[in-house]
Amino acid sequence: MTAAQKTAKANFKKAIEYRKKTGVTLKEAFAHVYGKKVGAVKKKAAPKKKAAVKKKVVKRGAKTKVLKLTKQRGTSVKSYDKRHQALPSGKRKTAWGTTYYESRANRSDKGVLLGIKKYDFERYLEIGISNPRWCYNMVSCRDKDGVDPGYEFENNVANYKMTSDEFFELISEDKQWDVIFIDGLHLAHQVIKDINNSLKHLSPNGFLVIHDCSPLNVWRQRENYMMDNRYYPWNGTTWKAFYHLRTTRLDLSMCTVNTDSGVGIVRRGKQELVYDNNPFYDYNIFDFNRKQHLNLIECSEFSEWLTKTDNIE
Ligand SMILES: C[S@@+](CC[C@H](N)C(=O)[O-])C[C@H]1O[C@@H](n2cnc3c(N)ncnc32)[C@H](O)[C@@H]1O
């Protein structure tokens, strides 16, 4: 067992003992061991002013019409599109210094994907496309394939209009891709299946890219995507699938780039297994150990990680 694994194990034991002794919650026990404050009272933010209703003046001939532009509600594609917008369009720099154009919201996973292009990969597969403008259209590869049953976006451009399970049943055993972006159903059991199936079809030096591995908070990692007939920001339980591999797969190199809710990268190689101190996949334990459990790195460290994990036997 390595020093890091020993420390994780010892801290886990300490937290359990402390909880038994004091009767505090598991979260508080971990906070005690790691010397962090739990439930520190946040300063109340000043109440937001009611958003003024914007008015747009439209001139039609002699008449002038005033249109009220109220905030759009509901689950239309347009409002869904709006809510996902994070940063304005513009030129972005990737971790390895090249510039690319972000045509819509800053879904930086595209930055990672484009970075992977440094290997001149030619075959790309996206599991879960939804609106192709968000990612699929931005990837320039000789061969592109997409799988999506079309649950979310009306104009489904996937050439395989089906679930990922049906897709992997259908394709021939020898079919391979260099980059497989897993962004379909974000529930741990499905992500595990997608990862295992994708590994069977990954070229020798290829990558898996897995979206939403580092949820911002406990709400984001809930199981239900749609609630009360509405979509809210959602990462699902993808982190559990990633954590499972971090504790069990010696034959993979894995990291999560700390951007866009965590972009997991998996390639063949090797890794030091994480000591499993979270057998019940509790979010608070994950949160305390996030950096180690995901091997979380910053965008600026990604290029170095790629070089380090190149040609690992
Ligand atoms: C989060 S969206 C994909 C977003 C897109 N990849 C991007 O970068 O913005 C998830 C998509 O997965 C699709 N999906 C849901 N369940 C699926 C499954 N079992 N297999 C494949 N795709 C699935 C949905 O229809 C939806 O379009």
Side-chain angles (χ1 to χ4, degrees), residues 74-91:
T75 54
S76 71
V77 167
K78 214 170 170 188
S79 67
Y80 182 79
D81 219 52
K82 261 190 170 178
R83 278 201 298 281
H84 277 71
Q85 207 144 345
L87 285 175
S89 303
K91 278 189 174 172

Side-chain angles (χ1 to χ4, degrees), residues 80 107 109-110 126-131 134-135 147-153 162-165 181 183-186 190 194 211-212 225:
Y80 182 79
R107 302 288 304 279
D109 43 340
K110 265 83 93 196
E126 187 164 322
I127 299 176
I129 295 181
S130 196
N131 184 340
W134 296 346
C135 183
V147 183
D148 200 310
Y151 297 150
E152 211 179 88
F153 192 69
M162 57 186 72
T163 66
S164 49
D165 283 352
F181 181 27
D183 198 12
L185 181 58
H186 287 40
Q190 187 61 51
D194 287 347
H211 200 212
D212 288 331
Y225 181 19

